[in-house]
Amino acid sequence: QRQMCIRDSIPITQRKLSELFLRQLLELDSIQPESEQIRSERKATVKEIQSFLERVDAAWNMAVKQKGIVSDV
């Protein structure tokens, strides 16, 4: 029974994390860099968020393949 609760929450958690990271990317896109340092820091942060998003997607794909978890969308 406990495993079913965890399995049921994975699609919701995956969507929430993905949406959170995408919103952060949109906020970063709205920043107008006033200096090269700000532009460089923004670029590094975008790459870091994209890396997190890729990890969430990879974990989701692994859950789908190995555990048979399906999206509720």
Side-chain angles (χ1 to χ4, degrees), residues 38-62:
I38 293 173
R39 187 180 93 63
S40 179
E41 289 178 16
R42 182 181 73 173
K43 185 176 181 177
T45 304
V46 165
K47 285 183 179 185
E48 186 176 23
I49 292 171
Q50 287 172 333
S51 172
F52 291 145
L53 192 53
E54 288 171 6
R55 289 172 59 190
V56 168
D57 289 343
W60 170 252
N61 289 331
M62 186 172 57

Side-chain angles (χ1 to χ4, degrees), residues 1-54:
Q1 182 66 10
R2 177 162 161 66
Q3 186 169 352
M4 283 303 292
C5 293
I6 292 170
R7 286 184 70 187
D8 292 344
S9 70
I10 289 174
I12 294 167
T13 302
Q14 186 269 343
R15 274 201 323 268
K16 285 181 180 179
L17 284 172
S18 293
E19 185 171 331
L20 174 71
F21 290 135
L22 291 172
R23 284 182 187 206
Q24 293 303 308
L25 287 173
L26 288 173
E27 281 196 37
L28 285 168
D29 280 346
S30 70
I31 295 173
Q32 298 300 318
E34 297 175 10
S35 69
E36 185 60 34
Q37 179 183 358
I38 293 173
R39 187 180 93 63
S40 179
E41 289 178 16
R42 182 181 73 173
K43 185 176 181 177
T45 304
V46 165
K47 285 183 179 185
E48 186 176 23
I49 292 171
Q50 287 172 333
S51 172
F52 291 145
L53 192 53
E54 288 171 6

